[in-house]
Amino acid sequence: MVNNVSIEEVFNDVIRFRPIKHNDDRGFFSEIYREDLFLQLGLGKNFMQDNFSYSKKKYTIRGLHFQLPPKQQKKVLKIISGKIWDIFIDIRKSSPNYKKFSFIEHGKEDGWLYIPDGYAHGFCTLEDNTELIYKVDNYFDPKLDKGINFLDPYFNINWPCNEDEIIISDKDKNLPFFEDIEELISFSL
């Protein structure tokens, strides 16, 4: 417990933070983000852009996205309503977990999720009307915006729904396979 926040590493530098909720008969109060905590843990600062994502339907997939250096992005996300199945793939070539991935269910009661730069990230909504906010430490740059196809056979991700139930954008559906873009990736620890 640090600064009234429990900390759990869920996969190789991906961390879930659960702040203490102060409950009373009106509801509750909870901090969403503390820069001093991130600095204390060596996770960086200068989160400069906040994003909001809303998905109307369950089984909406967004991702697997990342942004290339020099504008790679750390993310801190919080679910406002609903629940997601969150997936992160380590694409840092110098990492012992290079090309390995993990996932976690994350809902509005689960606090924040920190995903370092050098990860491809995506999620599948598990409930209708899922909303999340997330902070990033670099501005979006469409020239550096990249992604991995959610059906990439190398990763063979077992999404939490059948393929015919998936709702996905044309952009995400047509992302390349990892082997076709691996040479572009230059993340390191």
Side-chain angles (χ1 to χ4, degrees):
M1 183 87 59
V2 177
N3 290 340
N4 292 322
V5 176
S6 68
I7 301 167
E8 165 194 12
E9 185 170 13
V10 295
F11 177 75
N12 194 42
D13 302 329
V14 176
I15 299 169
R16 181 160 35 194
F17 299 87
R18 288 190 174 107
I20 300 299
K21 283 188 174 181
H22 304 280
N23 295 296
D24 64 23
D25 58 351
R26 299 168 297 170
F28 70 87
F29 170 84
S30 177
E31 294 176 344
I32 293 177
Y33 172 75
R34 285 189 63 131
E35 184 177 87
D36 63 341
L37 175 64
F38 276 65
L39 290 172
Q40 182 180 354
L41 296 172
L43 303 178
K45 64 176 189 168
N46 298 327
F47 287 90
M48 58 183 64
Q49 180 177 315
D50 289 346
N51 300 318
F52 182 82
S53 172
Y54 169 70
S55 299
K56 286 193 253 185
K57 295 292 182 185
K58 179 164 93 168
Y59 303 140
T60 297
I61 291 179
R62 297 182 185 267
L64 302 153
H65 302 142
F66 59 95
Q67 193 161 283
L68 292 173
K71 293 186 179 176
Q72 63 270 26
Q73 294 179 326
K74 294 177 177 91
K75 297 177 183 174
V76 181
L77 65 93
K78 170 86 174 108
I79 307 300
I80 303 302
S81 64
K83 184 181 275 192
I84 63 172
W85 185 85
D86 203 296
I87 183 164
F88 20 85
I89 302 172
D90 190 340
I91 55 175
R92 302 172 297 177
K93 289 184 176 177
S94 59
S95 170
N97 289 305
Y98 179 58
K99 299 196 279 188
K100 293 182 181 170
F101 68 91
S102 189
F103 56 87
I104 189 170
E105 280 192 21
H106 195 72
K108 65 181 181 178
E109 301 298 322
D110 291 320
W112 327 316
L113 193 62
Y114 168 79
I115 301 164
D117 57 38
Y119 276 79
H121 173 251
F123 61 88
C124 176
T125 60
L126 298 176
E127 297 178 8
D128 290 346
N129 299 309
T130 294
E131 298 176 317
L132 63 112
I133 55 172
Y134 59 99
K135 299 177 123 9
V136 293
D137 69 337
N138 257 316
Y139 295 116
F140 176 75
D141 186 331
K143 291 179 267 179
L144 300 172
D145 180 38
K146 301 295 177 202
I148 300 169
N149 192 290
F150 77 110
L151 293 176
D152 192 315
Y154 178 84
F155 298 106
N156 195 28
I157 297 166
N158 187 18
W159 293 92
C161 55
N162 296 321
E163 194 173 338
D164 63 337
E165 296 175 296
I166 291 171
I167 300 166
I168 190 166
S169 71
D170 287 339
K171 175 190 170 198
D172 287 356
K173 188 186 321 181
N174 294 309
L175 287 170
F177 292 135
F178 187 72
E179 69 178 13
D180 298 326
I181 60 169
E182 186 172 10
E183 66 186 34
L184 299 174
I185 298 170
S186 60
F187 296 106
S188 60
L189 290 174

